[in-house]
Amino acid sequence: MELGASGMFVPVQTVGMVLCCICGVAMAPNPANMCVRCLRSRVNITEGLPRHGAVVHCPECRSYLHPPRTWIRADLESKELLAFYLRRLKPLTRHVRLVHAEFVWTEPHSKRLRLKLRIQHEALHGAILEQSHLVELTVHDQLCPACSRAQANPDQWSAVVQLRQHVAHRRTFFFLEQLILRHGAAACALRISEADRGLDFFFGSRSHAVKFVEFISGVVPVRSCSDKQLVSHDSKSNIYNYKHTFSVEICPICREDFICLPPKVAQALGNLGPLVICTKISNSVALLDPFTLRSAFLDASQYWRAPFKALLSSRQLVEYIVLDIEVESSEVTVGGSRYSLAYAQVARLSDFGKNDNIFTVRTHLGHLLNPVDYALGYDLYGANSGDLEIDLPDAVLIKKSYEEKHRNRSGKARPWKLKSLNMDVDNTFKGRADEEKRNTEYEEFLRDLEENPELRFNISLYRNKDYQPSETSEMASTAGGDDVPSVPLDELLADLELSDGEEENDDAGSMME
């Protein structure tokens, strides 16, 4: 029960007021016994703090110099730029407490940046005074070393990485391009150009090239060698300028290749095979015996100690139709993938209406294949074994085929897309003639990404904003049955592209933080 309601007298508590010792104005008491106006007129807590400064800005890459030689990339009036300035002012503001900081708007072309600080400091006898402080920074334009070198001569490189693979297709380079983009491995490259059976990466320093070679060695099995050429020599200062060349050769074994292992390699892998297929390429080669489901991994050092080539590559795959399937064993997991041994009766699709050749083969795809399905495999019927002292099967099935369904869907856009490296393309007659072959191989690579979830595990796929689903595709997605494999929407990333209005709002929000 309140005291006022009970009829008792309750005195009203008031804040005591005192007179300022200087001007005599009534005020709330404080340790200095002076009003705020008199206190500010006699004590300046911003004394010794800088009011002017200078920063060095690169207009090409929009980066700022952090002495002595570090360049930090930041947008104008952004949160990163504000943090950069506060770090530079921190030694000068160590005796005061920084409460708030924000940019004051200036003309974009004025070459001036104004930073408003709100600081607190003890004035007299423990009284805390808060005051605003304005710092004006002059922006001086100067190209950073990388932009200066590019402006002087775009071809002024000091190291080049020549990446090569001696095969008849570009499937490995399509996959490698996506890994480079995902990890930003070629961010320091001055220029990227296409070459015969490979790519050339040009760098401004040798350390960037060495870092790139180490990245490539961690994702694919390679062997590399380096050399250097003297460009200039200053005998007085004993300075040598070299151009370094790194030659990197990728293992010619690719995914889905059919291989006959040499006797020494098969013995080193525990008498594997010798007829095996390559199921995965990383920093090692994953090999699988499709007849026994035995597997092994061959790293780069083991391969280059006794190199060998594939007996047949993916460009020689033949389409078969499955007439009957008899599963021999239950489904097992080998190397992270699921397989099941089975006997399948197959016939070449090209033989329909011409002959009655039917082959009974053993396959590792018993968990995927059903009668009347299509499969891609290698045709070994009547093949000349040559120097091979083994009996070759009539056919080796590699994967389930969706060629007929892909043909029905050809020319239609996908709901996802991939990014690509900015590289120089050969515009000669030979390059234009090779463009159609490149487009065909790229389409096959996109189909492989749709069919194999393991292949797109380390690849960034982005939503295609221009994709408009048609009525037929919606009907196919709602209908049941075995449809063409597609990429789930939850695996797609949003390609961030901020508009001018959104960028201004983001900058304003970062200024007020």
Side-chain angles (χ1 to χ4, degrees):
M1 182 176 180
E2 297 182 359
L3 295 178
S6 63
M8 298 180 61
F9 173 74
V10 179
V12 179
Q13 297 181 358
T14 59
V15 179
M17 303 293 289
V18 298
L19 300 179
C20 175
C21 64
I22 303 297
C23 62
V25 175
M27 65 172 191
N30 58 46
N33 286 331
M34 285 191 293
C35 64
V36 176
R37 181 177 298 178
C38 295
L39 193 60
R40 285 181 177 176
S41 64
R42 282 162 175 77
V43 180
N44 183 16
I45 65 174
T46 63
E47 186 177 0
L49 298 181
R51 294 188 178 274
H52 300 278
V55 291
V56 180
H57 171 250
C58 177
E60 292 293 329
C61 60
R62 295 188 299 177
S63 58
Y64 294 83
L65 176 63
H66 184 40
R69 293 181 300 178
T70 305
W71 290 83
I72 299 176
R73 184 169 297 181
D75 294 329
L76 186 64
E77 298 185 357
S78 63
K79 183 172 61 177
E80 294 79 9
L81 186 60
L82 182 62
F84 166 69
Y85 288 148
L86 293 180
R87 282 198 301 267
R88 293 194 60 182
L89 295 174
K90 187 176 181 179
L92 303 176
T93 59
R94 65 181 64 177
H95 301 296
V96 297
R97 180 188 177 191
L98 183 62
V99 179
H100 182 71
E102 63 180 356
F103 284 105
V104 179
W105 185 85
T106 56
E107 287 288 343
H109 302 289
S110 63
K111 300 299 179 184
R112 296 292 188 273
L113 290 175
R114 292 183 180 179
L115 190 62
K116 185 179 180 180
L117 306 177
R118 186 171 293 276
I119 58 177
Q120 290 180 354
H121 187 57
E122 182 179 348
L124 289 174
H125 308 294
I128 303 299
L129 185 62
E130 182 175 321
Q131 190 172 346
S132 298
H133 181 67
L134 190 64
V135 181
E136 185 174 297
L137 302 168
T138 305
V139 181
H140 299 283
D141 286 341
Q142 178 183 332
L143 293 178
C144 64
C147 295
S148 178
R149 185 166 48 248
Q151 288 285 342
N153 184 5
D155 292 330
Q156 192 176 357
W157 52 271
S158 59
V160 58
V161 178
Q162 298 175 346
L163 194 60
R164 300 290 185 270
Q165 187 184 31
H166 300 290
V167 293
H169 54 80
R170 298 183 180 88
R171 295 177 60 189
T172 303
F173 287 101
F174 291 143
F175 177 71
L176 199 57
E177 179 184 15
Q178 299 305 317
L179 292 181
I180 293 173
L181 287 170
R182 181 183 178 91
H183 297 278
C188 298
L190 300 178
R191 183 166 58 91
I192 306 173
S193 63
E194 282 190 335
D196 186 22
R197 295 187 178 182
L199 298 172
D200 290 339
F201 295 82
F202 298 89
F203 296 91
S205 65
R206 181 181 180 275
S207 60
H208 293 160
V210 172
K211 185 178 179 180
F212 182 74
V213 173
E214 291 176 352
F215 170 79
I216 297 297
S217 303
V219 295
V220 288
V222 299
R223 65 176 176 182
S224 61
C225 59
S226 61
D227 198 359
K228 60 183 180 180
Q229 180 183 4
L230 180 64
V231 178
S232 62
H233 170 220
D234 188 355
S235 59
K236 294 182 179 180
S237 59
N238 199 25
I239 296 178
Y240 295 84
N241 292 326
Y242 291 97
K243 279 194 172 184
H244 302 269
T245 302
F246 295 85
S247 178
V248 182
E249 182 181 356
I250 304 177
C251 167
I253 303 299
C254 300
R255 193 174 58 88
E256 299 175 353
D257 283 357
F258 184 62
I259 306 166
C260 181
L261 295 176
K264 292 184 179 180
V265 178
Q267 185 178 3
L269 297 177
N271 292 323
L272 179 69
L275 297 179
V276 296
I277 58 176
C278 176
T279 57
K280 185 179 180 181
I281 291 290
S282 57
N283 55 357
S284 60
V285 181
L287 302 175
L288 174 71
D289 188 343
F291 311 112
T292 61
L293 295 186
R294 292 184 58 198
S295 64
F297 290 90
L298 192 67
D299 58 20
S301 60
Q302 289 177 315
Y303 174 80
W304 294 113
R305 197 179 301 125
F308 53 88
K309 293 185 178 181
L311 197 62
L312 295 171
S313 66
S314 58
R315 294 179 60 86
Q316 298 167 289
L317 288 172
V318 178
E319 193 169 10
Y320 289 86
I321 184 171
V322 180
L323 303 178
D324 192 14
I325 188 81
E326 181 181 351
V327 178
E328 181 183 357
S329 65
S330 59
E331 187 174 324
V332 295
T333 301
V334 180
S337 301
R338 296 179 299 174
Y339 303 105
S340 175
L341 286 176
Y343 284 97
Q345 286 188 353
V346 297
R348 287 189 294 251
L349 196 62
S350 59
D351 288 347
F352 266 41
K354 298 180 181 179
N355 53 54
D356 297 332
N357 292 335
I358 298 177
F359 310 106
T360 301
V361 296
R362 199 177 190 187
T363 179
H364 61 292
L365 304 177
H367 64 297
L368 293 177
L369 297 180
N370 295 306
V372 198
D373 280 347
Y374 295 95
L376 291 176
Y378 294 110
D379 184 14
L380 303 177
Y381 178 69
N384 185 8
S385 60
D387 297 334
L388 302 178
E389 298 179 356
I390 55 176
D391 294 331
L392 296 176
D394 294 332
V396 177
L397 302 183
I398 301 298
K399 63 179 180 179
K400 188 174 181 178
S401 174
Y402 302 91
E403 290 295 327
E404 184 178 359
K405 298 178 181 179
H406 280 307
R407 284 192 291 266
N408 296 334
R409 212 182 66 175
S410 61
K412 298 180 181 179
R414 290 180 170 86
W416 54 273
K417 63 180 180 179
L418 298 176
K419 292 186 177 181
S420 58
L421 291 172
N422 185 16
M423 64 180 69
D424 299 336
V425 183
D426 186 10
N427 292 324
T428 61
F429 177 77
K430 181 180 179 181
R432 291 192 298 268
D434 195 50
E435 184 177 0
E436 183 178 355
K437 175 185 174 183
R438 175 189 175 88
N439 294 337
T440 303
E441 294 175 349
Y442 189 70
E443 178 65 24
E444 294 176 356
F445 172 69
L446 297 181
R447 293 178 182 178
D448 289 341
L449 290 180
E450 291 177 333
E451 298 173 7
N452 193 345
E454 296 180 3
L455 188 61
R456 60 176 183 264
F457 180 74
N458 292 323
I459 293 181
S460 298
L461 283 75
Y462 299 90
R463 297 180 186 272
N464 187 5
K465 297 180 180 179
D466 300 331
Y467 173 72
Q468 297 293 337
S470 60
E471 296 181 359
T472 55
S473 61
E474 293 178 354
M475 293 175 59
S477 61
T478 56
D482 188 13
D483 202 358
V484 181
S486 60
V487 180
L489 294 179
D490 55 357
E491 295 186 15
L492 303 182
L493 302 176
D495 193 3
L496 297 179
E497 294 180 359
L498 295 180
S499 61
D500 296 339
E502 291 175 344
E503 290 180 353
E504 292 177 0
N505 295 335
D506 290 346
D507 292 342
S510 63
M511 288 167 55
M512 297 303 295
E513 290 181 355

